[in-house]
Each structure stands twice: as structure tokens, then as C-alpha cells.
Amino acid sequence: MESIANVFRFFKQVLISFRANQGIVLAGAIAYYSLLSIIPMFSLLIIALSHLIDEQQLLTMVQNNLSPIFGTQAEAITHQMEIFLQNRKTVSWIVLGVLLFFSSFAFSVVESAMATIF
């Protein structure tokens, strides 16, 4: 019976410390900046793959993979990617800058969370 009381005391201390160290805010910030980094990363990946794979074949593969997730909107997204690939030389530098900007925020929040935890 005492071991159950110890477990509950432990969980209570964990929750109090988590709240005191703003664990929810840190977790939300990590998720937010990670999501803002994923889109530029995938954009750069599409640009890199367009140098290795035929552009139409790549766009067809992307549309086929987006269809189960986005349904009829996959065609519109693929069309925007086609326009994006037509301007890849200009856009790739902008996307790289955006990726580095948001990734630096994501890593600084992760560093802050790790400093708080340990």
C-alpha cells in the first residue's frame, strides 16, 4: 500500500515540476517551430529530387502520395509545386533562408527545454 502512495507522490512531484518549468509552453514551442521548419525542408527535398528524377514523374508521385491525405486538393498542391519548380533557382535560396531561420528557433527552444530538464 505504501508503494502505491510513493508512486502517487512521485507523479504529483513530476506534474508540479512540469508546470513550474512551463513544460507545456516548451513542448508547444518545439512543435510550432518544428512544423514551420518541415515545409521548407520538404520544398528543398523536392528541388533536390527534381535534379535526379524527371520533373513530371516526380510531380505524379507527389500527387499520388498526397491524394489519400488531401483528396481533391492534391491536384492544386501539385500544380503549385510545378510552378515552384519552374522558379527553383530563385526560390531555393529563399526557402533555404526560411529553413535556417525557423530551424534555429526550433533548436534554441529544444536547447532551452533540455537545460530546463537537466
Side-chain angles (χ1 to χ4, degrees), residues 62-75:
V62 167
Q63 184 172 355
N64 290 340
N65 287 313
L66 289 178
S67 291
I69 301 168
F70 295 107
T72 57
Q73 294 298 317
E75 187 176 334

Side-chain angles (χ1 to χ4, degrees), residues 29-42:
I30 290 170
Y32 178 74
Y33 287 121
S34 296
L35 283 174
L36 287 176
S37 299
I38 286 173
I39 293 185
M41 182 185 66
F42 282 134

Side-chain angles (χ1 to χ4, degrees), residues 41-59 61-62 65 85 88:
M41 182 185 66
F42 282 134
S43 300
L44 284 177
L45 183 64
I46 294 292
I47 290 172
L49 286 173
S50 72
H51 291 291
L52 302 173
I53 301 172
D54 179 51
E55 190 174 308
Q56 286 305 317
Q57 184 180 5
L58 179 64
L59 290 172
M61 287 187 320
V62 167
N65 287 313
L85 287 174
R88 75 183 85 170

